[in-house]
Amino acid sequence: MALYAIGDFHLSLTANKPMDIFGAEWKNHVKKIEKYWKKRVTDEDTTVITGDHSWGRNLAEAEKDLAFIEALPGRKILLRGNHDMFWDAKKTRQLNEKFAGKLFFLQNNFFSYQDYALVGTKGYCYEGKDNAEHFLKIRDREIERLKVSFESAREAGYEKFLMFLHYPPTTIGEMESPFTLMAQSYGAEKVIYSHCHGKERYDDSFKGYVNGIEYKLVSGDYLKFKPERIMD
């Protein structure tokens, strides 16, 4: 039994959104996902997929993409990404009911893995696309959602945490943010995230050990679509 993570599948089995226009690494990326997943992940393993699952604009358009994920070996824990239009804040419980025993949607809740609680939210960082007021509004909302995950797990008796985000935990150039401070305050051992694409963003990403916490980037193209082993 092992825990893996990977993000940014950007599936479009119904929606017409070819990904190879973004670079050679995206050519036949769906086949790569399936190939490498089946080589590494068994039915006894658990994988957290850190957002941007589908280009579908609603659940009907995302249905085939989610079915593809569902058919992959092992347990699948899904985090919400910025492109996941089929999933909004009010739908998490409905999705967990609809896909019970097949997929678990991680937002405002937690998932038990051995003696760890897997907690997470979409997160947010500044990318120059919005004004300061809007940035702070979204970031603070995501911080509150992450706090709900941590507190729910703590109330259930968990003291060991792995934290997952879609966005990076900090804006480029920063070494601290409300997300890193929350990870520290709850004693998270690792922070795993994705969203970053292209060599420049890989190089700028927040990785390695900072204040005793390991930060890992698991964007699908960064990993060459090979799920990253996080823990045995």
Side-chain angles (χ1 to χ4, degrees):
M1 177 186 293
L3 178 67
Y4 291 86
I6 187 170
D8 302 288
F9 283 0
H10 291 287
L11 299 171
S12 57
L13 299 178
T14 298
N16 183 23
K17 186 73 174 182
M19 289 298 296
D20 52 7
I21 63 172
F22 296 105
E25 64 273 22
W26 289 97
K27 185 176 181 179
N28 296 320
H29 82 288
V30 177
K31 291 182 178 179
K32 292 176 186 177
I33 291 167
E34 185 173 21
K35 173 185 175 181
Y36 292 122
W37 187 296
K38 289 183 175 179
K39 278 190 173 183
R40 294 191 173 195
V41 182
T42 73
D43 285 334
E44 301 303 314
D45 297 328
T46 300
T47 304
V48 180
I49 309 174
T50 54
D52 283 359
H53 312 289
S54 171
W55 284 109
R57 293 169 295 179
N58 51 51
L59 190 54
E61 287 190 359
E63 188 172 358
K64 287 186 178 180
D65 299 331
L66 295 175
F68 171 85
I69 294 171
E70 181 185 323
L72 296 170
R75 303 173 195 84
K76 279 78 64 175
I77 315 302
L78 277 61
L79 200 68
R80 187 178 170 204
N82 59 301
H83 289 300
D84 292 321
M85 298 296 103
F86 71 92
W87 178 0
D88 63 34
K90 298 178 181 179
K91 289 182 180 176
T92 303
R93 181 174 295 179
Q94 297 172 18
L95 289 168
N96 276 324
E97 290 173 354
K98 179 178 177 63
F99 293 93
K102 300 173 183 177
L103 303 173
F104 183 86
F105 294 81
L106 182 63
Q107 183 175 254
N108 291 328
N109 52 18
F110 69 94
F111 185 85
S112 300
Y113 180 80
Q114 298 180 14
D115 55 347
Y116 285 84
L118 309 185
V119 301
T121 193
K122 179 173 67 177
Y124 203 55
C125 68
Y126 185 69
E127 299 180 289
K129 299 176 181 178
D130 50 4
N131 59 44
E133 182 180 3
H134 183 260
F135 161 66
L136 292 174
K137 177 182 177 181
I138 303 301
R139 188 194 66 182
D140 291 349
R141 181 191 69 193
E142 291 300 311
I143 283 291
E144 285 303 309
R145 289 176 175 166
L146 183 59
K147 185 176 180 180
V148 169
S149 284
F150 272 115
E151 287 297 324
S152 297
R154 180 176 276 179
E155 288 172 11
Y158 286 90
E159 298 178 351
K160 299 169 72 174
F161 305 101
L162 301 179
M163 177 175 144
F164 295 86
L165 300 169
H166 174 67
Y167 280 95
T170 66
T171 296
I172 291 175
E174 292 182 344
M175 293 299 293
E176 184 177 280
S177 77
F179 295 104
T180 64
L181 293 174
M182 184 168 288
Q184 292 174 40
S185 69
Y186 283 95
E189 293 184 15
K190 301 175 189 286
V191 176
I192 296 101
Y193 67 96
S194 54
H195 183 70
C196 300
H197 305 296
K199 187 178 186 306
E200 184 176 354
R201 291 300 308 275
Y202 302 157
D203 293 343
D204 287 338
S205 295
F206 202 72
K207 301 190 292 289
Y209 284 87
V210 180
N211 294 322
I213 299 172
E214 185 180 15
Y215 290 84
K216 297 181 74 71
L217 173 65
V218 297
S219 301
D221 49 330
Y222 176 71
L223 298 179
K224 301 186 186 303
F225 301 102
K226 301 174 182 179
E228 178 86 357
R229 196 181 187 103
I230 302 299
M231 181 178 292
D232 293 328

